[in-house]
Amino acid sequence: MHNKKVQGLFGSLKIQQVFLSAYQEFSSSGAPQSDVQRRAAHAIMRCKSGKLGCNRSFCPDCGHLQTHNNSCRNRSCPNCQAVQKELWVDRRRAEVIDAPYFHVVFTLPHELNPLIYANQKALYGLFHRCCAETLLELCADKKYLGAQPGIIQVLHTWNQEMLYHVHMHCILSGGGLTRDGRIRKSRGSFFLPVFVLRDKFRGKYLALLDRLYKDGSLALPDLCAAFREPSGWQAFRDGLYRRDWCPFIKETFNGFGNAIEYLGRYTHKIAISNSRVLSVTGKEVTFSARGLKPGDPKRTITTGSCEFIRRFLIHVLPQGFQKIRYYGFLNNRTKSRNLKLIFTIQGHQSFKARFTGMSMAQLVLAVWKKDITRCPVCGFAGMRPVGRTYASG
């Protein structure tokens, strides 16, 4: 039980090995990097290395001194997400209402990739806004739900090959608050017609994108040079209108309790985990990927170490950008009031947060069944913290 979680928290640091062996070569090649990408790369290389300081604990029974090197806590680091994910899922469990939940995925056409990458903060933000407004406006319609649902959105920018693939994971409640403070729920199947979702989202995103273009708010890199002429932009936009932007209804949860546990797979993911990296040599990295179609066997992909680093870094988000956002009755400004009303009407709160107030040792024991207070030499369950050092600079 929990084997994968234990491996994720305490397993080998294969991605760090790639950066340590090839990042200098990658940087020397002149590959473009933003400041936030450089900071992420250096954090990954220093994580758990001792360069960020350490914690020490002492066994009073046998005298063993244990040293734990500090983590970097960078949100792009594959070694630092396990604890944050568990805490996030635990907090969200306390916000689950008694209603069906649905997992909807919106994907942007790949033709937009060069423009999005050159304008990440603006166009990722626009993506969040358009997904949320599409869902909220349709849910408000009485022929669909007639209520304000709760929505959690998580931005991802990669596919299984670590290539640029911008999409949004949305967990949508099939129940919500009406304007007069009542609860309305769907019957359990997805209640929004997919073609209506598609048309509304596509029209909204392209209209607002066009506004940014006409305001002169978009950077136009060389790959988008044709857009510097209005006629080129118009032709590009018209082509996007003809594309099929069909959203994907990935999962339906008739048992409402597992929706948040399920979303936990997506919230603190980065482009690739250590567990998918099969081998690291001085020049190449081999990693696994899902089959191209459901039911296909896993694939093995080998790429040069510098190319692996390039792919990894394109998914480092802009400084301060919030990849997880909340809408509807989960809007941060009104969430507490809304949830109090919903739980009062429903007569119960389905789940409570379990980890609030726990120490790190208690959390690790509860989730991964690993007692970090137990001495690895004599087994005494009373290791005592005796000091902490920090990074020198």
Side-chain angles (χ1 to χ4, degrees), residues 69 166 202 225 255 340:
N69 292 331
V166 182
R202 178 177 55 195
K340 183 177 180 180

Side-chain angles (χ1 to χ4, degrees), residues 1 25 32 51 92 99 109 115 164 173 179 200 212 219 258 296 321:
M1 186 175 180
E25 179 185 352
K51 295 179 180 178
R92 299 293 82 76
L115 188 65
Y164 201 53
S173 69
R179 288 181 177 274
K200 190 173 188 67
L212 289 175
N258 60 359
D296 284 356
F321 185 84

Side-chain angles (χ1 to χ4, degrees), residues 8 46 75 112 119 156 204 247 279 291 323-324 345 379 392:
R46 300 175 77 192
R75 66 173 174 173
L112 280 166
N119 299 272
H156 281 183
K204 188 179 289 288
S279 68
K323 73 170 183 177
I324 307 174
I345 294 171
S392 57

Side-chain angles (χ1 to χ4, degrees), residues 239-250:
L240 289 173
Y241 270 111
R242 292 191 292 269
R243 284 291 310 273
D244 186 2
W245 293 42
C246 195
F248 177 43
I249 315 307
K250 190 173 177 73

Side-chain angles (χ1 to χ4, degrees), residues 34-47:
S34 66
D35 289 342
V36 70
Q37 288 171 330
R38 287 190 187 89
R39 286 196 294 271
H42 285 284
I44 290 168
M45 290 188 287
R46 300 175 77 192
C47 188

Side-chain angles (χ1 to χ4, degrees), residues 99-372:
Y101 278 80
F102 307 95
H103 181 185
V104 183
V105 182
F106 291 92
T107 302
L108 292 175
H110 286 187
E111 289 88 343
L112 280 166
N113 282 357
L115 188 65
I116 295 172
Y117 193 73
N119 299 272
Q120 291 178 56
K121 206 158 195 174
L123 296 190
Y124 291 159
L126 181 65
F127 192 17
H128 261 301
R129 174 185 170 183
C130 291
C131 291
E133 288 183 0
T134 296
L135 293 170
L136 289 171
E137 290 171 14
L138 290 175
C139 286
D141 192 321
K142 288 185 178 179
K143 69 174 174 282
Y144 300 131
L145 184 64
Q148 182 190 64
I151 304 170
I152 302 172
Q153 295 184 173
V154 186
L155 174 73
H156 281 183
T157 62
W158 56 84
N159 62 14
Q160 284 285 291
E161 291 82 19
M162 298 170 60
L163 299 174
Y164 201 53
H165 175 69
V166 182
H167 57 288
M168 190 77 71
H169 294 277
C170 309
I171 292 290
L172 170 71
S173 69
L177 286 170
T178 63
R179 288 181 177 274
D180 58 356
R182 295 180 295 113
I183 292 178
R184 291 192 67 179
K185 293 198 295 186
S186 72
R187 294 180 180 178
S189 58
F190 191 65
F191 53 92
L192 299 176
V194 172
F195 72 91
V196 176
L197 263 182
R198 175 200 65 198
D199 293 348
K200 190 173 188 67
F201 172 70
R202 178 177 55 195
K204 188 179 289 288
Y205 193 90
L206 289 179
L208 292 174
L209 182 67
D210 189 55
R211 185 183 301 173
L212 289 175
Y213 172 81
K214 290 176 178 175
D215 288 346
S217 302
L218 297 177
L220 300 175
D222 289 343
L223 288 173
C224 301
F227 308 159
R228 294 167 189 167
E229 293 295 329
S231 59
W233 173 256
Q234 185 66 43
F236 176 66
R237 196 176 63 123
D238 290 347
L240 289 173
Y241 270 111
R242 292 191 292 269
R243 284 291 310 273
D244 186 2
W245 293 42
C246 195
F248 177 43
I249 315 307
K250 190 173 177 73
E251 193 80 41
T252 298
F253 302 98
N254 291 319
F256 56 86
N258 60 359
I260 299 302
E261 295 285 350
Y262 178 87
L263 186 61
R265 302 179 195 175
Y266 296 92
T267 53
H268 291 75
K269 261 190 176 182
I270 58 171
I272 189 169
S273 62
N274 281 307
S275 62
R276 284 181 54 202
V277 179
L278 303 176
S279 68
V280 178
T281 68
K283 293 294 182 181
E284 292 184 335
V285 183
T286 300
F287 59 95
S288 66
R290 287 194 302 267
L292 293 173
K293 297 177 182 178
D296 284 356
K298 285 187 175 182
R299 296 171 290 146
T300 298
I301 297 170
T302 299
T303 184
S305 296
C306 287
E307 173 61 12
F308 181 93
I309 290 173
R310 184 195 71 81
R311 294 187 191 186
F312 187 98
L313 292 180
I314 62 177
H315 306 297
V316 173
L317 294 174
Q319 183 70 28
F321 185 84
Q322 294 177 313
K323 73 170 183 177
I324 307 174
R325 299 188 184 184
Y326 309 87
Y327 299 93
F329 68 69
L330 292 176
N331 180 292
N332 289 329
R333 289 174 293 179
T334 58
K335 177 171 64 177
S336 296
R337 181 172 71 246
N338 292 336
L339 287 173
K340 183 177 180 180
L341 175 59
I342 291 171
F343 293 145
T344 298
I345 294 171
Q346 292 189 334
H348 67 282
Q349 181 177 354
S350 300
F351 300 104
K352 301 283 188 179
R354 297 173 295 174
F355 303 149
T356 303
M358 279 191 180
S359 67
M360 181 59 68
Q362 291 169 327
L363 174 65
V364 170
L365 181 61
V367 177
W368 291 281
K369 312 303 180 189
K370 183 177 178 68
D371 187 356
I372 60 175

